[in-house]
Amino acid sequence: MNDETEMRQKLVRMGTLLYTRQLAHGSAGNLSVRLDDGSILITPTNSSLGFLEAERISKLTPDGELISGDRPSKEYFFHLAVYEERPAAQAIVHLHSTYSVAISCLCHEQTDDVLPPLTAYHVMRVGKLPLVRYFRPGDRALADEVRKVSRDNRSMLLANHGPIVSGASIEEAVYAYEELEETAKLYFLLGDRKTSPLRAEEIAEINRAFPN
Ligand code: 13P
């Protein structure tokens, strides 16, 4: 049950957590949850995630009409696209956290999974991380591309921008996002050293034990 009052408070608390952990800075990033009636709560555009106010959070119909609250995030199109494509998704986190954004600025030869499966928790929480080609923030063409990729992926990385992670609850989406940022950090920490990512059969075993 996604009770609206409780969900508004959770968005405020998660915003504070992400800001305090320095995963969100300035007014970058946006969070959303889907309520039981299909409407969406999303952070207002240009708001700092560290200082959200529950009653000002934007409430949208599933088609994107503003029901109440401040003007919604300019990225609400891609939030709606993910919800449409992934019925089990109840929350979305999009941030511009340093290490993940750094990965999004690298040249990638293959784009269907741009981080190696370094740890079991990355595989469990994040899964594959496809790269979505660059679009201007707020561009509706970005939402079309996100829609396509989200059919088969709960996480993705927007080129020169940052990740989008969805989950069955706001906690799940936030924890998955944090896991992703830690893997991105490990990736740079390991640098040019020879690493031993998990093998295909190890990944398959994790996915069997922890289906998502
Ligand atoms: P909003 O302030 O409109 O949510 O945009 C921030 C952002 O992260 C753009 O990608």
Side-chain angles (χ1 to χ4, degrees):
M1 279 269 296
N2 279 355
D3 172 72
E4 181 170 342
T5 310
E6 190 189 334
M7 286 302 134
R8 285 177 181 273
Q9 285 163 0
K10 274 195 184 181
L11 285 174
V12 173
R13 284 206 301 275
M14 286 304 187
T16 308
L17 169 86
L18 294 165
Y19 190 80
T20 310
R21 290 209 61 216
Q22 299 187 345
L23 294 170
H25 60 271
S27 65
N30 29 75
L31 312 174
S32 71
V33 294
R34 173 155 48 189
L35 299 175
D36 292 338
D37 66 359
S39 56
I40 309 294
L41 295 178
I42 185 163
T43 49
T45 191
N46 298 328
S47 55
S48 163
L49 296 190
F51 301 91
L52 294 172
E53 293 170 58
E55 62 285 358
R56 295 181 66 174
I57 288 172
S58 321
K59 184 176 180 182
L60 304 178
T61 66
D63 298 331
E65 297 296 321
L66 183 64
I67 300 170
S68 64
D70 288 0
R71 196 150 64 89
S73 168
K74 68 175 84 59
E75 307 289 28
Y76 80 84
F77 300 107
F78 75 56
H79 285 251
L80 297 182
V82 174
Y83 287 125
E84 269 176 43
E85 292 302 322
R86 301 188 69 78
Q90 302 300 334
I92 295 168
V93 175
H94 164 64
L95 303 173
H96 300 175
S97 53
T98 310
Y99 290 94
S100 298
V101 174
I103 299 282
S104 85
C105 298
L106 294 174
C107 289
H108 295 277
E109 273 167 25
Q110 61 84 25
T111 56
D112 21 310
D113 192 6
V114 293
L115 268 181
L118 291 171
T119 70
Y121 258 66
H122 178 79
V123 172
M124 278 161 63
R125 300 285 191 242
V126 179
K128 282 194 172 178
L129 188 71
L131 186 75
V132 175
R133 73 186 169 90
Y134 175 79
F135 291 91
R136 166 184 63 73
D139 187 340
R140 290 189 190 207
L142 170 61
D144 294 338
E145 212 54 39
V146 167
R147 177 187 301 282
K148 280 186 224 153
V149 176
S150 63
R151 279 178 202 142
D152 295 320
N153 299 280
R154 65 198 131 137
S155 317
M156 67 190 77
L157 185 61
L158 311 181
N160 308 88
H161 189 165
I164 303 174
V165 176
S166 63
S169 66
I170 185 68
E171 288 85 353
E172 192 179 298
V174 166
Y175 299 160
Y177 192 102
E178 291 184 295
E179 202 61 48
L180 165 52
E181 179 68 4
E182 292 304 319
T183 307
K185 193 171 174 178
L186 287 173
Y187 181 84
F188 286 108
L189 190 67
L190 292 163
D192 290 337
R193 291 186 192 85
K194 201 164 161 46
T195 59
S196 62
L198 298 186
R199 290 170 304 167
E201 56 275 24
E202 292 165 334
I203 294 170
E205 187 205 4
I206 291 168
N207 289 333
R208 275 195 306 276
F210 306 102
N212 57 78

